[in-house]
Amino acid sequence: MEQRIDIDWTACEGHGLCAELLPERITLDEWGYPLVEGTPVPTGTIKRARRAASDCPALALKLRVRQPT
Ligand code: SF4
């Protein structure tokens, strides 16, 4: 099963911590809000993606399991 990064835009406060923890998957726009690579998170990156989710100060970053289409 695939896991993808989802951002709850109503909760995200643009702290930018996620981009520091997962720079190969998340960059920041000019206002400091995350731009997320939408493809499935590679297996070797899942652990750090979970950390980015748990460390998000606004709890706005989630890993979602999705069935491949
Ligand atoms: S760490 Fe959380 S609140 Fe900050 S930019 Fe990333 S998703 Fe948004």
Side-chain angles (χ1 to χ4, degrees):
M1 280 191 280
E2 299 175 345
Q3 296 194 56
R4 296 176 194 243
I5 295 169
D6 272 349
I7 305 290
D8 176 352
W9 295 110
T10 62
C12 177
E13 296 172 352
H15 296 289
L17 180 62
C18 53
E20 290 181 32
L21 295 174
L22 214 53
E24 73 274 41
R25 306 292 301 179
I26 303 172
T27 56
L28 299 179
D29 69 13
E30 59 189 297
W31 297 282
Y33 285 87
L35 300 168
V36 179
E37 174 67 48
T39 55
V41 178
T43 305
T45 308
I46 291 287
K47 192 172 178 182
R48 285 192 302 114
R50 286 194 186 124
R51 168 136 189 250
S54 65
D55 285 3
C56 170
L59 299 179
L61 193 156
K62 308 283 184 202
L63 274 183
R64 302 268 186 225
V65 175
R66 293 190 185 156
Q67 299 292 342
T69 52

